[in-house]
Amino acid sequence: MLRIVYSVREAQKNKVLIIVPHEDDETIIAGNIIDLLKLNGNDIKVAYLTNGDYSIPAEIRAKEAIHAIRTLGLNEDDVFF
């Protein structure tokens, strides 16, 4: 069931998908939101729409993204490229 949540406080113990344009945006755009959602006990997944390889190879960007995800307290299984 899709449920639209309008505030982080309202999102408790729900599945949340964070969609970002490319690697590093999970931290820049949604880092604080991810942290608050984790505190509320949400199951968080992050999906990247592109690989952002216009200046850095995609493999390096993916490794950096996984490192950032771990720093945010999520697992590699929580990421979709």
Side-chain angles (χ1 to χ4, degrees):
M1 174 182 194
L2 176 64
R3 181 171 167 241
I4 298 174
V5 176
Y6 296 99
S7 75
V8 173
R9 288 186 187 143
E10 188 180 339
Q12 293 187 351
K13 299 191 181 186
N14 288 302
K15 293 182 179 184
V16 178
L17 175 62
I18 305 288
I19 302 171
V20 293
H22 50 71
E23 292 83 349
D24 80 7
D25 290 337
E26 77 288 334
T27 305
I28 295 169
I29 296 172
N32 288 336
I33 294 170
I34 290 171
D35 191 46
L36 290 171
L37 290 168
K38 279 185 60 229
L39 290 173
N40 285 341
N42 292 283
D43 177 20
I44 306 164
K45 306 292 183 200
V46 178
Y48 299 97
L49 298 180
T50 64
N51 62 15
D53 69 349
Y54 50 88
S55 62
I56 300 172
E59 298 81 23
I60 293 173
R61 299 276 299 191
K63 287 179 184 177
E64 291 173 347
I66 290 170
H67 177 73
I69 287 298
R70 287 182 181 147
T71 301
L72 290 169
L74 302 177
N75 298 313
E76 189 172 335
D77 295 339
D78 298 325
V79 178
F80 301 93
F81 292 97

